[in-house]
Amino acid sequence: MVDGNLEGDEITAEEAFFDYYVMSPVVTSDPNIAGGEITGTFNLGKNGLSEGSFDIQWAVYTSKNNLNNPVLLTQGEALLTDVPATVSFSGNWPVSAAGYYVIVEINYSDYDTSNNKNNSGPYSVGN
């Protein structure tokens, strides 16, 4: 110690905490026809101190009563300069009549990846 100061000690700033999350998708198309068009939106949000200017890869899936075997509906990228952000998606329902979940997932390694996936449904399609 020299004059009350510790020699050789470094002070480093902790990396800013950030956590992007996805909120449940909302299907806006009606009626839900097997093989027909599906349109909807989902919201992306952010917790923490990050500036929010990262490109976030996202994908929307459908899954017939089983969230473990999703089928890709559509995918894209969102530049999150302002969050929360509303993202629109479109595609086609599967051709088989059934109850389907709509799942949205973002591909981003952040503080908490457990909230990078969300779902809504099941939607009765073609029944």
Side-chain angles (χ1 to χ4, degrees), residues 11 22 38-39 46 49 53-54 59 73 78 84 90 93 100 107 124:
I11 298 173
V22 63
I38 175 177
T39 58
K46 175 183 66 78
L49 304 174
S53 60
F54 300 103
L73 176 70
S90 65
W93 287 109
Y100 289 95
N107 183 12
S124 180

Side-chain angles (χ1 to χ4, degrees), residues 1-9:
M1 188 179 291
V2 177
D3 296 329
N5 293 320
L6 297 175
E7 276 188 81
D9 282 355

Side-chain angles (χ1 to χ4, degrees), residues 28-80:
T28 57
S29 55
D30 190 40
N32 300 328
I33 300 170
E37 183 181 25
I38 175 177
T39 58
T41 61
F42 61 90
N43 291 325
L44 294 174
K46 175 183 66 78
N47 294 317
L49 304 174
S50 160
E51 65 195 52
S53 60
F54 300 103
D55 290 334
I56 304 294
Q57 303 290 323
W58 56 266
V60 178
Y61 303 88
T62 58
S63 177
K64 185 177 10 178
N65 297 324
N66 183 347
L67 299 176
N68 296 320
N69 293 312
V71 175
L72 181 65
L73 176 70
T74 187
Q75 59 189 350
E77 181 177 279
L79 177 61
L80 298 183

